[in-house]
Amino acid sequence: MNLLDIFKRRSSAPVARERLQVLLAYERRNRSQPDLVSILREEIMAVIAKHVQIDQDYLQVSMERGETMSTLEIDIQIPNKSPAPMAIAG
Amino acid sequence: MGKVVVVTSGKGGVGKTTSTAALGAAVAKTGKKVALVDFDVGLRNLDLIMGAERRVVFDLVNVIQGTAKLSQALIRDKRVDTLFLLPASQTRDKDALTEEGVGEVIDKLRSVFDYVFCDSPAGIERGAQLAMRFADEAVIVTNPEVSSVRDSDRIIGLLDARTMRAEQGEQIAKHVLVTRYDAGRAARGEMLSIDDVLEILSVPLLGIIPESQDVLRASNLGSPVTLSEPLNSAAKAYIEAARRLEGEELPVIVPFERKGFLDRLLGRRAA
């Protein structure tokens, strides 16, 4: 170690560059798939809505990206009964 | 047909408005007809930086909604008579701008002016996307700082995907303008270097604007720095950037810090 180094602060720019390079590599990869999850969500909703009435809130679509495998998790809650028929006023 | 240039960035506060004013004024001084359009509806600041805040009667939203003619809303600069400003509205209605409306205004401006500079709002939302929508070229204003570079990368992604040119399969010409560059800090390794920024963003460099107190003073006085203090180092850098924008091939010289022996010993800033 150079004696002069004691007086110098460790430079932070190389660290900044490395952090940015890693981060942007990740962000750019994800950007090429334009929000796949929300597209899936809408299409699944449309298919289900043909047959059953469900609420937006009861459909959860999430995607987890792993190193070798990614998982797509779809959680749909379908109400057991169709809403009770309205009472007819006598 | 004039050229439409959007001045954009992801992050706020990097100097978009200052750069729009400085570049626009520098181009106008060469005799070209220049219009500066403020797209920052709701916040608006270009009129203030240009020193025209008390002359705003009609604005971009009025023109789009048809309550004023384009010729009524354009403000002629008092210093350079080929320089015009189309101010933004302070309306809180974010949807006041429509894509068709913006397209019509830009087309009209393009037919009259040599250069149309669009000052984009910060962020990646609708306003920023409308500002870049009809552009032929983009100036991406970046500080040599991690968050600014990251957001610029995001904006570059949008420029390549959501602009009219990109959708028609053409390329939108992109340039990086590095502002608030501190040569001393870069030399000490405390600030991303120009090479780092260019390597990460892989967009050609338009210019390097050194950190300068004169830029703030110019803003305070309501005059683009290229008009009020054209001999200042920041103004010179803007004037050269403007010449490159017009197609001139000028080498970019990275500012360096001259340091004396004592400064070096004590690690002080020379400036």
Side-chain angles (χ1 to χ4, degrees), chain B residues 52-65:
Chain B
E53 69 279 3
R54 293 168 72 178
R55 299 171 63 202
V56 176
V57 182
F58 298 112
D59 56 51
L60 177 63
V61 172
N62 293 139
V63 176
I64 284 177
Q65 292 178 343

Side-chain angles (χ1 to χ4, degrees), chain A residues 4-87:
Chain A
L4 269 174
D5 286 351
I6 299 168
F7 300 104
K8 275 193 206 159
R9 253 187 297 168
R10 224 171 66 87
S11 55
S12 57
V15 183
R17 182 184 58 219
E18 254 171 61
R19 289 177 59 216
L20 264 176
Q21 277 168 336
V22 171
L23 174 75
L24 290 183
Y26 178 79
E27 285 185 348
R28 283 171 190 160
R29 199 179 56 196
N30 287 347
R31 209 178 300 149
S32 54
Q33 303 161 323
D35 210 3
L36 183 63
V37 172
S38 71
I39 294 170
L40 280 176
R41 204 186 130 90
E42 259 173 55
E43 291 187 0
I44 293 167
M45 272 298 279
V47 171
I48 295 169
K50 274 194 214 164
H51 307 286
V52 200
Q53 260 214 313
I54 56 162
D55 203 292
Q56 281 271 355
D57 300 340
Y58 294 120
L59 174 69
Q60 303 274 342
V61 180
S62 60
M63 187 181 256
E64 223 155 276
R65 286 198 177 80
E67 289 263 317
T68 52
M69 196 177 60
S70 298
T71 54
L72 177 69
E73 196 181 303
I74 303 169
D75 180 10
I76 313 165
Q77 292 181 39
I78 299 172
N80 241 343
K81 276 184 245 167
S82 49
M86 273 213 293

Side-chain angles (χ1 to χ4, degrees), chain B residues 56-212:
Chain B
V56 176
V57 182
F58 298 112
D59 56 51
L60 177 63
V61 172
N62 293 139
V63 176
I64 284 177
Q65 292 178 343
T67 50
K69 278 187 253 168
L70 183 57
S71 55
Q72 289 176 301
L74 280 168
I75 302 170
R76 185 195 284 261
D77 190 84
K78 282 185 170 163
R79 297 150 295 213
V80 183
D81 61 3
T82 52
L83 182 59
F84 290 79
L85 166 70
L86 181 54
S89 159
Q90 261 179 326
T91 170
R92 281 204 225 138
D93 180 13
K94 276 190 172 173
D95 296 323
L97 300 184
T98 60
E99 189 179 321
E100 304 77 56
V102 170
E104 276 174 35
V105 172
I106 294 287
D107 273 346
K108 274 187 210 159
L109 289 171
R110 204 199 288 268
S111 66
V112 179
F113 289 91
D114 299 310
Y115 279 88
V116 180
F117 285 91
C118 303
D119 183 19
S120 169
I124 54 168
E125 302 300 319
R126 206 180 115 83
Q129 293 196 21
L130 271 177
M132 68 170 69
R133 184 81 185 138
F134 303 96
D136 304 307
E137 296 196 14
V139 174
I140 301 134
V141 183
T142 303
N143 294 160
E145 182 233 321
V146 282
S147 59
S148 174
V149 175
R150 176 207 213 162
D151 291 348
S152 292
D153 190 69
R154 197 74 200 281
I155 281 292
I156 291 165
L158 282 180
L159 286 165
D160 287 334
R162 300 281 173 84
T163 49
M164 211 65 159
R165 282 206 166 226
E167 283 176 9
Q168 289 164 355
E170 291 170 53
Q171 268 280 319
I172 173 161
K174 300 183 290 283
H175 318 266
V176 167
L177 184 70
V178 178
T179 56
R180 311 203 65 169
Y181 182 77
D182 185 328
R185 307 200 73 182
R188 289 195 297 276
E190 293 172 14
M191 186 181 250
L192 284 172
S193 73
I194 297 296
D195 285 342
D196 290 344
V197 175
L198 295 182
E199 190 194 319
I200 291 166
L201 296 179
S202 55
V203 169
L205 181 65
L206 184 70
I208 304 164
I209 314 300
E211 172 81 73
S212 161

Side-chain angles (χ1 to χ4, degrees), chain B residues 202-271:
Chain B
S202 55
V203 169
L205 181 65
L206 184 70
I208 304 164
I209 314 300
E211 172 81 73
S212 161
Q213 305 203 347
D214 298 306
V215 175
L216 176 64
R217 185 162 59 235
S219 295
N220 289 347
L221 299 175
S223 170
V225 70
T226 44
L227 295 185
S228 62
E229 305 188 48
L231 297 178
N232 164 261
S233 60
K236 276 186 189 161
Y238 271 123
I239 290 166
E240 284 186 6
R243 284 168 61 188
R244 285 184 205 105
L245 201 61
E246 291 188 79
E248 217 174 303
E249 283 192 24
L250 282 172
V252 184
I253 295 154
V254 179
F256 64 93
E257 195 188 34
R258 280 187 207 90
K259 284 209 291 189
F261 172 72
L262 243 153
D263 290 319
R264 213 171 298 195
L265 196 69
L266 301 173
R268 269 200 326 224
R269 284 169 58 173

